[in-house]
Amino acid sequence: MYLLTLASKSLANRKFTAILTIAAIALSVALLLAVERVRNDAKLSFTNTISGTDLIVGARSGSIQLLLYSVFRIGSPTNNISWESYEDIVSNPLVKWAIPISLGDSHRGFRVMGTNTDYFEHYRYAREKPLGFQSGQAFDDLYDAVIGAEVAQALGYQIGSKIVVAHGAGDVSFIDHGDKPFTVVGILERTATPVDRTVHVSLEAIEAIHIDWQSGAQIPGLKIDAETARKMNLSPKLITGFMLGLKSRISTFKLQREINEYKEEPLLAIIPGVALQELWNLMSVAERALLIISAFVIAIGLVGMLAMILSSLNERRREMAILRSAGARPSHIVGLLTSEAILLAVLGVVSGIVLFYLLLFISGPLIEDRYGLVFSVKMLSGYELTLLGIVILSAILMGLIPAYRAYRNSLNDGISIKL
Amino acid sequence: MSDPIININNLCFHWNLQQQPVLNIKQLLIEPGQRLFIEGPSGSGKTSLLNLIGAVTVPTSGSITILGQDISRLKSSARDSFRADHIGFIFQQFNLVPYLSMVENVTLPCHFSVSRKSKAGDLREQALRLLTHLGLDNPDLHKKPVTELSVGQQQRVAAARAVIGKPEIIIADEPTSALDTDTREAFIKLLFEECSESSSTLIFVSHERSLGRLFDRHIHLPDINQANATAQAGQ
Ligand SMILES: Nc1ncnc2c1ncn2[C@@H]1O[C@H](COP(=O)(O)OP(=O)(O)OP(=O)(O)O)[C@@H](O)[C@H]1O
Ligand SMILES: [Mg+2]
């Protein structure tokens, strides 16, 4: 115990280098925890986003790409598919329900998704949880919109708020569909999935706001106002994709093959779980690389500590000799230096944990906002604690190196103090 | 005459067996409570002798018995605890642990020796008492880092540390050589008082022959050390 007191006083005497060493360990620990948390929570967050959907269908592209834009609203679709294909496939007797989706517009940074009311009925997230309404109900009128909980909170919208949809998915869009404002009629309950950050309108509404547009630009001279548009044919012609629920899981592969071999149009059907797995496989390389990098960063932090203690040894030979003359045994010298390593490591790890939670508090909402990944501010997991234990243990083992050096020195020097 | 506290017999000591011995002493008896002054030219083996008396090293041959304990029979860890319990040290200069306060420096040996701790009683109180005795009772002084004390003040702190917990033997290796003449004698007087108080035997080394008159006994090391004589005879 007294050695710990001595060690802390000795470190306090070398405040500057001690703090730098602690900071290096803290930063590396915070990085390790962040990498670990991102790994786990990203997986959980992604896995929880969709449930109960057997197939997702879109234009032929990569399966991960399709998964990302249809479910996570990341990236944008390359191509649309025709309404005829949709109706054709949905008429298959194996299909129990279908949710068509149409993406491409946004509202103040939030994606707008055209769909129908089946979405509110059949879409499931987490463990087969259905969507629920915080207030209001599904859209009914052409210019009705249902918004996710995050949209409502971030923009302060309530039932009755008017919103204008912009063209394109960017944060800032200069062209908008200002002539056809929507009214918020429903706000969904929070789901901790990208649904929270989505504005939902009917497929017909998507048609209506684009009726005087062609290939991404307003047709010059043609201006059709909101009321006139109501009277025109608004049945959808193109959609981005659709989600399917089947009567029986067993038929999933059969239908998937049929869709992938669909003759009228190149389509791609994916099984969400399988595509997620592909995504993990893709990410596991990066994940492992990140983990290795953070392990190295920890090692660098600890080597810094080692260097700090070792470099102090020479100038502390006199101090050691004084301690020896006051009765300290060589084992006490070993204890003193090991205690210093332990103190530095423990302080480093503790400040690392604090730093990590600070980061989580500050950047968590930003990441959720931008990428839809939800990081829970929860206690450290057993695995994370084990990792930290390993860090402290390595620090102690490394601390034995200078301790041994000092032990040798103190045996050689004895208690004689040379200048 | 009481039993000697230190008994040296036919002692021979080499730093390096290939070379001539540094010390070769037929007999040296030191009585308890004695204030012994040892002087001799530089390189004559004063510090080497103190290392033996302090149980830091062991003789090459012959025996040295301290407090009835034959030192050469003890393993180094046993010598370590023997030293911690029974011997207080004062060195020439820079005796203090820089990151400890004055009081903490004084109480340091008590944390490594149970017997010195129990003899000291309340550590802080005892340290303050010793420091007051040695004229270091100014509270402003206690707040200063010890590295900012004058050399004389540092040596007095070292003296307090040497005597705390009443070790039987105090070894002082040129503790006054960094002090000026006036401070020197004052320091020695204070050291005497502390040694009487704790009834410790004082072994004081210096090359300042003039200080010898203050002590009970005065040894000119070359007089009892035959090492140089044999070395010269061999040449
Ligand atoms: N650690 C050591 N290793 C090897 N030889 C040593 C060591 N310490 C001292 N010596 C040698 O032993 C001899 C006696 O040295 P010692 O330090 O005992 O002299 P001293 O009388 O204390 O001198 P001074 O007055 O200069 O302190 C010297 O020749 C010295 O070179
Ligand atoms: Mg000497």
Side-chain angles (χ1 to χ4, degrees):
Chain A
M1 235 11 254
Y2 185 65
L3 289 179
L4 264 181
T5 318
L6 268 189
S8 55
K9 288 193 167 143
S10 155
L11 286 177
N13 191 46
R14 288 170 287 145
K15 236 182 255 117
F16 189 66
T17 43
I19 287 175
L20 279 182
T21 309
I22 291 170
I25 297 176
L27 285 173
S28 64
V29 163
L31 179 74
L32 178 77
L33 289 176
V35 166
E36 225 359 78
R37 200 46 78 84
V38 167
R39 242 158 60 94
N40 286 322
D41 281 11
K43 255 187 201 176
L44 193 70
S45 189
F46 270 56
T47 317
N48 275 344
T49 298
I50 189 163
S51 142
T53 295
D54 295 307
L55 287 172
I56 300 171
V57 184
R60 191 164 295 164
S61 59
S63 55
I64 291 175
Q65 195 191 359
L66 173 56
L67 179 80
L68 287 180
Y69 70 67
S70 63
V71 178
F72 300 107
R73 323 266 191 272
I74 297 173
S76 10
T78 42
N79 259 315
N80 284 329
I81 61 177
S82 72
W83 186 252
E84 287 78 44
S85 308
Y86 168 71
E87 289 197 310
D88 192 12
I89 290 167
V90 167
S91 66
N92 188 308
L94 295 171
V95 173
K96 186 172 166 202
W97 54 260
I99 301 168
I101 57 175
S102 184
L103 297 160
D105 290 309
S106 65
H107 172 71
R108 296 176 64 178
F110 295 103
R111 299 286 176 106
V112 172
M113 186 173 93
T115 182
N116 60 23
T117 48
D118 289 345
Y119 176 76
F120 305 110
E121 196 179 322
H122 295 300
Y123 188 80
R124 296 282 184 276
Y125 67 98
R127 294 206 174 82
E128 297 279 335
K129 266 164 91 181
L131 297 174
F133 281 89
Q134 213 177 91
S135 56
Q137 69 278 316
F139 43 72
D140 179 32
D141 184 69
L142 183 61
Y143 297 115
D144 281 353
V146 171
I147 58 179
E150 183 60 36
V151 182
Q153 197 189 19
L155 304 177
Y157 289 161
Q158 289 154 348
I159 303 293
S161 297
K162 296 274 183 226
I163 64 176
V164 167
V165 172
H167 198 73
D171 264 353
V172 189
S173 185
F174 296 103
I175 23 178
D176 60 31
H177 306 285
D179 53 338
K180 301 184 183 74
F182 285 80
T183 309
V184 175
V185 298
I187 299 172
L188 294 172
E189 272 165 13
R190 197 167 273 279
T191 62
T193 74
V195 171
D196 295 349
R197 293 182 318 286
T198 306
V199 175
H200 309 83
V201 299
S202 66
L203 288 172
E204 290 74 20
I206 298 282
E207 285 301 318
I209 56 179
H210 292 110
I211 204 154
D212 44 6
W213 287 54
Q214 202 167 50
S215 48
Q218 201 154 14
I219 302 163
L222 184 64
K223 212 149 171 53
I224 298 167
D225 66 50
E227 288 315 307
T228 319
R230 280 182 188 279
K231 299 186 190 86
M232 300 175 69
N233 174 19
L234 294 175
S235 56
K237 287 160 212 67
L238 292 170
I239 57 172
T240 309
F242 52 94
M243 299 175 195
L244 290 177
L246 305 185
K247 288 184 182 127
S248 148
R249 277 265 156 88
I250 307 161
S251 45
T252 308
F253 290 108
K254 183 173 176 312
L255 189 63
Q256 185 187 24
R257 195 167 52 246
E258 273 176 35
I259 296 171
N260 284 340
E261 288 164 2
Y262 190 67
K263 292 203 186 53
E264 316 298 316
E265 194 174 5
L267 294 181
L268 174 70
I270 57 167
I271 301 169
V274 174
L276 266 177
Q277 196 53 52
E278 268 180 58
L279 189 63
W280 298 153
N281 291 345
L282 196 72
M283 285 182 8
S284 73
V285 180
E287 222 176 71
R288 215 167 306 145
L290 267 179
L291 208 61
I292 291 173
I293 290 171
S294 41
F296 271 105
V297 173
I298 293 266
I300 292 169
L302 293 182
V303 168
M305 177 192 83
L306 181 63
M308 176 220 165
I309 300 181
L310 274 179
S311 69
S312 73
L313 281 191
N314 254 340
E315 66 202 47
R316 293 174 69 195
R317 274 177 105 130
R318 160 177 298 280
E319 173 192 329
M320 300 299 160
I322 296 169
L323 289 174
R324 294 271 282 130
S325 76
R329 266 156 278 186
S331 62
H332 288 126
I333 302 296
V334 171
L336 173 65
L337 285 154
T338 321
S339 303
E340 285 183 14
I342 293 174
L343 277 176
L344 287 171
V346 169
L347 286 176
V349 166
V350 169
S351 353
I353 294 172
V354 171
L355 189 65
F356 165 68
Y357 277 109
L358 274 179
L359 271 176
L360 206 60
F361 269 115
I362 294 164
S363 64
L366 292 176
I367 294 174
E368 184 175 348
D369 229 38
R370 257 189 110 70
Y371 303 105
L373 301 177
V374 183
F375 293 104
S376 44
V377 182
K378 57 178 182 240
M379 297 291 289
L380 294 174
S381 70
Y383 180 63
E384 286 164 335
L385 287 174
T386 313
L387 284 180
L388 296 182
I390 292 173
V391 173
I392 291 180
L393 203 70
S394 336
I396 296 172
L397 289 179
M398 284 181 128
L400 288 176
I401 299 172
Y404 178 74
R405 281 275 297 265
Y407 171 77
R408 302 283 335 156
N409 284 347
S410 78
L411 283 184
N412 289 337
D413 293 358
I415 57 166
S416 63
I417 301 174
K418 296 219 172 73
L419 288 177
Chain B
M1 203 169 120
S2 51
D3 281 344
I5 190 167
I6 296 166
N7 187 343
I8 291 175
N9 264 305
N10 294 322
L11 176 139
C12 190
F13 176 73
H14 295 75
W15 277 108
N16 183 335
L17 278 177
Q18 269 89 58
Q19 287 167 11
Q20 294 298 322
V22 172
L23 293 171
N24 183 353
I25 300 176
K26 266 242 142 48
Q27 190 173 53
L28 175 63
L29 301 178
I30 303 170
E31 284 160 43
Q34 199 167 56
R35 296 162 189 166
L36 173 64
F37 182 79
I38 301 176
E39 51 86 11
S42 181
S44 58
K46 304 185 295 292
T47 299
S48 306
L49 178 60
L50 290 187
N51 275 336
L52 288 163
I53 295 174
V56 179
T57 46
V58 287
T60 322
S61 63
S63 77
I64 170 163
T65 308
I66 306 171
L67 291 161
Q69 184 69 251
D70 187 348
I71 292 307
S72 38
R73 295 248 174 89
L74 294 180
K75 280 198 277 184
S76 84
S77 61
R79 289 204 312 272
D80 279 332
S81 12
F82 182 84
R83 180 178 339 111
D85 288 344
H86 303 295
I87 299 168
F89 286 91
I90 311 171
F91 297 106
Q92 184 174 357
Q93 222 183 334
F94 307 118
N95 271 300
L96 306 181
V97 179
Y99 51 80
L100 295 180
S101 73
M102 212 150 115
V103 168
E104 286 163 341
N105 259 290
V106 174
T107 58
L108 192 59
C110 300
H111 295 285
F112 298 112
S113 162
V114 176
S115 74
R116 283 179 76 174
K117 186 175 198 162
S118 67
K119 277 195 243 170
D122 183 291
L123 294 186
R124 188 179 160 74
E125 202 176 283
Q126 178 68 4
L128 288 173
R129 205 188 61 77
L130 287 170
L131 288 171
T132 308
H133 246 213
L134 292 163
L136 297 171
D137 50 352
N138 184 347
D140 288 342
L141 228 47
H142 290 252
K143 287 186 207 113
K144 267 192 185 179
V146 290
T147 44
E148 284 174 19
L149 297 176
S150 75
V151 180
Q153 289 166 338
Q154 289 188 16
Q155 291 305 79
R156 279 181 277 162
V157 176
R161 186 178 61 202
V163 300
I164 195 166
K166 299 186 175 19
E168 288 82 348
I169 299 165
I170 306 292
I171 289 178
D173 193 357
E174 312 209 30
T176 54
S177 51
L179 305 180
D180 60 63
T181 325
D182 292 343
T183 336
R184 209 170 274 175
E185 297 212 357
F187 175 80
I188 292 174
K189 293 233 165 75
L190 283 172
L191 188 57
F192 282 177
E193 282 173 28
E194 295 308 326
C195 288
S196 318
E197 178 124 340
S198 59
S199 34
S200 310
T201 308
L202 174 66
I203 300 165
F204 189 107
V205 155
S206 175
H207 51 258
E208 288 283 330
R209 198 179 294 227
S210 62
L211 293 173
R213 64 193 154 78
L214 301 167
F215 288 76
D216 300 341
R217 186 174 167 199
H218 178 162
I219 293 177
H220 180 61
L221 185 58
D223 291 347
I224 59 161
N225 182 12
Q226 270 109 53
N228 286 336
T230 47
Q232 272 148 23
Q235 271 168 1

